[in-house]
Amino acid sequence: MAAPKEKTLQNLSGKWVMNKTLSDDTDRILQMQGVGWFLRRAIALSTITLTVTEYTKDGLTHIDISQVASPGGITSTENRVLDWVYHDHSDRVFGDVKGKSRWVKLSDIDDDDFLKKGWDDMEGEHVQGYVESKGGGWTADQVWGFEIIDGKRYYVRHVVVRKGDDWKLARLVYDFQK
């Protein structure tokens, strides 16, 4: 289901399911991030559900996400504080990483047009997340927002993963469930 109008980046709480028809294939990105073939296949065949809880604490936006791939029960979490300070995280899928997140205007994103284009709100603030693998040699830069696709509004993440001189792009599209 498309995102209702009341769902915004300031109100993402709820369940979101990856729309694999509208999303780009993630296999090459996951491979670059060191995810093994068997786990990549399981993820490709699974339904990916995000349970998002967004709140403000001590003046900072927090976005806590529980991600489940089913069947299979592959889980991971993203607990983001939008303060643009590195936070360490050990992830079941991606290993040990450090990441930072912030509110950002598209004009303040440094180098990648893919992260800046296609949004339904080109002037307002978006969420940017940046993650560095502690042992895998890759980085991932994401911008979150909403896009109009085939006349419907969806929650979307634009993702750029880099490793050495190689890089991959993906647009991840999510349906709102409840």
Side-chain angles (χ1 to χ4, degrees), residues 45-101:
L45 297 172
S46 297
T47 299
I48 309 296
T49 303
L50 309 178
T51 302
V52 179
T53 304
E54 183 171 354
Y55 57 97
T56 302
K57 181 178 176 184
D58 299 326
L60 294 171
T61 302
H62 293 248
I63 303 175
D64 297 345
I65 302 172
S66 172
Q67 184 170 267
V68 178
S70 56
I74 302 164
T75 62
S76 67
T77 58
E78 296 178 57
N79 294 325
R80 297 179 181 263
V81 180
L82 277 61
D83 59 1
W84 208 234
V85 172
Y86 279 109
H87 299 273
D88 291 329
H89 177 67
S90 185
D91 189 275
R92 182 176 172 188
V93 174
F94 301 110
D96 291 332
V97 298
K98 66 178 185 176
K100 57 185 180 177
S101 301

Side-chain angles (χ1 to χ4, degrees), residues 50-174:
L50 309 178
T51 302
V52 179
T53 304
E54 183 171 354
Y55 57 97
T56 302
K57 181 178 176 184
D58 299 326
L60 294 171
T61 302
H62 293 248
I63 303 175
D64 297 345
I65 302 172
S66 172
Q67 184 170 267
V68 178
S70 56
I74 302 164
T75 62
S76 67
T77 58
E78 296 178 57
N79 294 325
R80 297 179 181 263
V81 180
L82 277 61
D83 59 1
W84 208 234
V85 172
Y86 279 109
H87 299 273
D88 291 329
H89 177 67
S90 185
D91 189 275
R92 182 176 172 188
V93 174
F94 301 110
D96 291 332
V97 298
K98 66 178 185 176
K100 57 185 180 177
S101 301
R102 67 177 174 174
W103 290 109
V104 67
K105 292 207 173 268
L106 296 174
S107 59
D108 293 332
I109 297 171
D110 291 333
D111 61 346
D112 201 300
D113 283 345
F114 175 74
L115 295 174
K116 300 180 195 182
K117 292 186 177 176
W119 305 109
D120 71 336
D121 176 6
M122 296 298 288
E123 301 301 320
E125 288 190 313
H126 290 70
V127 173
Q128 181 181 22
Y130 180 81
V131 175
E132 293 179 14
S133 171
K134 288 188 175 181
W138 57 265
T139 64
D141 203 353
Q142 305 183 22
V143 173
W144 305 354
F146 289 86
E147 286 187 27
I148 305 300
I149 303 169
D150 297 330
K152 296 178 183 172
R153 183 174 172 267
Y154 292 93
Y155 167 51
V156 176
R157 294 179 178 191
H158 289 194
V159 182
V160 178
V161 175
R162 293 178 177 89
K163 186 173 184 178
D165 292 334
D166 198 7
W167 51 271
K168 305 284 185 261
L169 310 173
R171 179 178 79 166
L172 308 178
V173 180
Y174 295 89

Side-chain angles (χ1 to χ4, degrees), residues 1-58:
M1 169 172 130
K5 282 194 176 279
E6 64 269 11
K7 287 299 166 187
T8 67
L9 290 175
Q10 294 77 26
N11 179 23
L12 275 178
S13 292
K15 288 193 184 283
W16 301 86
V17 176
M18 184 184 286
N19 182 321
K20 292 196 176 182
T21 301
L22 297 177
S23 294
D24 295 332
D25 183 21
T26 60
D27 188 70
R28 291 175 40 201
I29 282 180
L30 293 170
Q31 183 178 17
M32 183 179 281
Q33 292 173 305
V35 177
W37 180 87
F38 184 77
L39 184 52
R40 291 196 323 269
R41 293 305 318 142
I43 291 169
L45 297 172
S46 297
T47 299
I48 309 296
T49 303
L50 309 178
T51 302
V52 179
T53 304
E54 183 171 354
Y55 57 97
T56 302
K57 181 178 176 184
D58 299 326

